[in-house]
Amino acid sequence: MSGCALPAKKTNLKDDPMRFASITLIALVAGAVLGAYFPSTGPVLALGGTLFVGALKALVLPIIFCSVVASMARLGAQGKIGGLLSVSFMYFLGTMIAAVSIGLVLVNLVAPGSGGELAALAGDAPNITGPSSPLAFLEAQAKKLVQDPIQAWSRNNILAILVFALAFGLALGKSGKGDGVASGFEVASDALGRLVTLVLYATPVGVFCLAAKQVAQTGWEPILKLGSYVLVVAGGLALHGLIVLPLVIWLVTKRSPLSFFRAALKPLTVAFATASSAATLPVTMEAAEEELDVPPTVSRVVLPLGATVNMDGTALYEAVAALFIANLYGIHLDFGAQLIVAVTACLAAIGAAGIPSAGLVTMALVLTAVGLPLEGIGMILAVDRFLDMMRTSVNVLGDLGGTVVVNRFAPVGSEDAVGEGGDA
Ligand code: ASP
């Protein structure tokens, strides 16, 4: 390939990723235990969590912009964009439909909240104003999709930056004269990768602080109170994340689920602790490239796309939550209404930003579409953060799976294995 190859991004963490991931996992559990037994430590440790998430967030937009432009310029020059994007979107949509279906089947089987015993939960409605119709929702999304890039950057509008970077990178590649500029973005992308590596050394400490803060803040009580609902969401997420996704990956790539999970452990713990697929993106990229050997040209397009639109966990959660709220209010949703729930849950998940509680807000679309009261959101608020941590992990797992699937169906060729071996 031309001098357009992104330099390698190697880290010492690669030497023993399993050990590092295990330490992070232990830190997560230790943080949760500390937060539960010594809640007064929560506010102090929250500072550490804020610093860690802040450092990750600071890198997200620059990484998305530089790496997407660089990869798109390369793929555009080779005419390989179409295959990569169409496989990505087919995978995103297919897995999201599977996730929603699992959620709907489980929630119909278990019927949480249908006994009326939880009806007292109604009342503390949050001030959430949702779109008045699916069309209004789409209009709001369209406004977010295309925005002046400077404004989008200052408003942290990842979607608009992503769209701009995709278009700009493609135009650069097609211009036939973009090699120099593309190389500049590749170098910037590599430098940002090095910063990510530095931040990642703090992962166990960051995860420890976040877990302690979270448990100290909310405790376990709401989770126990809404047990059946939490169990249905958690069970659905577990089915999708532990069975469906690994099965798809195994069928497509023959990669063993164990090796996939090994590679995914670090981004999974960060996703769980931060409840943000956008903040986890730098870690997910590192895992895809370093652990799963996905060429950066693929991972640096598929992962930013995935972190923005591919949200299996959120889609599943939105569907279950809508039916749970219907049960609480004693409203029966027939097959047709549940179909609307399924479609709008996918739309709401696609529209949700990769930040904490985004799914809770876009759920207004699902509820409005089938005439459920928005106040219902107030009933599930207390457990949302916990469920958010779980659904974000599944979102990130789905993104990571997307890179290996896309790499199998739309390979960019070994000469494009950006970052292979050229690093100091
Ligand atoms: N927190 C989720 C994510 O970042 C989005 C959601 O709220 O469901 O992927």
Side-chain angles (χ1 to χ4, degrees):
M1 227 2 251
S2 66
C4 231
L6 291 181
K9 186 167 70 66
K10 290 203 190 311
T11 77
N12 294 336
L13 302 179
K14 192 181 178 185
D15 297 342
D16 199 347
M18 203 54 203
R19 192 165 150 256
F20 193 82
S22 311
I23 293 172
T24 308
L25 209 58
I26 293 169
L28 181 86
V29 176
V33 172
L34 186 79
Y37 288 101
F38 302 97
S40 56
T41 56
V44 180
L45 291 174
L47 293 175
T50 306
L51 275 179
F52 177 62
V53 175
L56 283 174
K57 275 188 176 159
L59 292 168
V60 169
L61 277 180
I63 283 190
I64 289 185
F65 190 70
C66 295
S67 52
V68 170
V69 169
S71 297
M72 287 298 282
R74 167 101 57 111
L75 292 166
Q78 299 164 350
K80 287 179 174 171
I81 294 287
L84 188 125
L85 291 186
S86 44
V87 175
S88 301
F89 282 112
M90 272 187 315
Y91 167 87
F92 292 163
L93 205 62
T95 52
M96 226 182 296
I97 290 172
V100 167
S101 311
I102 291 173
L104 283 177
V105 168
L106 281 186
V107 75
N108 275 294
L109 282 177
V110 180
S114 58
E117 76 277 8
L118 291 172
L121 288 170
D124 48 344
N127 189 17
I128 290 180
T129 44
S132 52
S133 68
L135 197 66
F137 175 81
L138 290 178
E139 198 186 327
Q141 294 306 312
K143 274 190 193 148
K144 270 203 276 172
L145 201 67
V146 196
Q147 197 176 36
D148 162 15
I150 307 281
Q151 231 178 53
W153 198 291
S154 66
R155 289 179 188 177
N156 209 19
N157 180 353
I158 295 178
L159 190 61
I161 292 296
L162 177 66
V163 169
F164 183 77
L166 285 168
F168 179 62
L170 183 62
L172 203 61
K174 292 283 179 207
S175 74
K177 295 181 242 163
D179 248 24
V181 182
S183 301
F185 278 108
E186 287 161 2
V187 173
S189 173
D190 180 58
L192 289 162
R194 287 165 197 273
L195 290 182
V196 170
T197 303
L198 278 182
V199 176
L200 285 189
Y201 279 113
T203 306
V205 181
V207 163
F208 174 81
C209 293
L210 287 168
K213 171 200 141 193
Q214 206 48 53
V215 175
Q217 228 167 44
T218 45
W220 303 109
E221 206 189 308
I223 296 171
L224 298 176
K225 207 155 141 196
L226 292 171
S228 56
Y229 160 65
V230 170
L231 273 181
V232 172
V233 177
L237 291 175
L239 261 179
H240 189 70
L242 298 176
I243 298 189
V244 175
L245 287 175
L247 191 68
V248 171
I249 289 154
W250 178 76
L251 286 173
V252 173
T253 66
K254 293 285 171 274
R255 180 182 284 276
S256 88
L258 221 61
S259 87
F260 178 68
F261 279 114
R262 227 176 99 101
L265 210 51
K266 209 184 325 163
L268 279 183
T269 39
V270 175
F272 189 79
T274 60
S276 168
S277 22
T280 312
L281 183 64
V283 192
T284 320
M285 278 184 171
E286 198 236 21
E289 294 165 22
E290 307 265 331
E291 311 296 331
L292 294 169
D293 296 323
V294 175
T297 318
V298 172
S299 69
R300 293 179 195 188
V301 173
V302 177
L303 286 176
L305 264 180
T308 322
V309 300
N310 180 43
M311 305 222 174
D312 297 359
T314 303
L316 185 151
Y317 148 83
E318 306 243 2
V320 173
L323 264 82
F324 174 63
I325 289 169
N327 287 345
L328 285 177
Y329 280 97
I331 299 171
H332 173 70
L333 296 181
D334 61 14
F335 183 75
Q338 291 201 23
L339 210 59
I340 296 176
V341 167
V343 174
T344 49
C346 285
L347 279 177
I350 292 170
I355 54 171
S357 293
L360 188 75
V361 177
T362 60
M363 195 158 60
L365 166 74
V366 187
L367 300 184
T368 334
V370 287
L372 291 171
L374 284 184
E375 286 73 24
I377 295 178
M379 302 180 191
I380 54 171
L381 207 57
V383 287
D384 185 67
R385 179 65 186 213
F386 179 63
L387 295 181
D388 199 359
M389 291 157 89
M390 287 198 278
R391 65 184 187 252
T392 305
S393 306
V394 172
N395 291 345
V396 166
L397 199 68
D399 298 342
L400 210 50
T403 57
V404 288
V405 168
V406 171
N407 191 40
R408 163 74 181 75
F409 278 124
V412 293
S414 55
E415 79 274 28
D416 304 310
V418 183
E420 294 289 295
D423 188 30

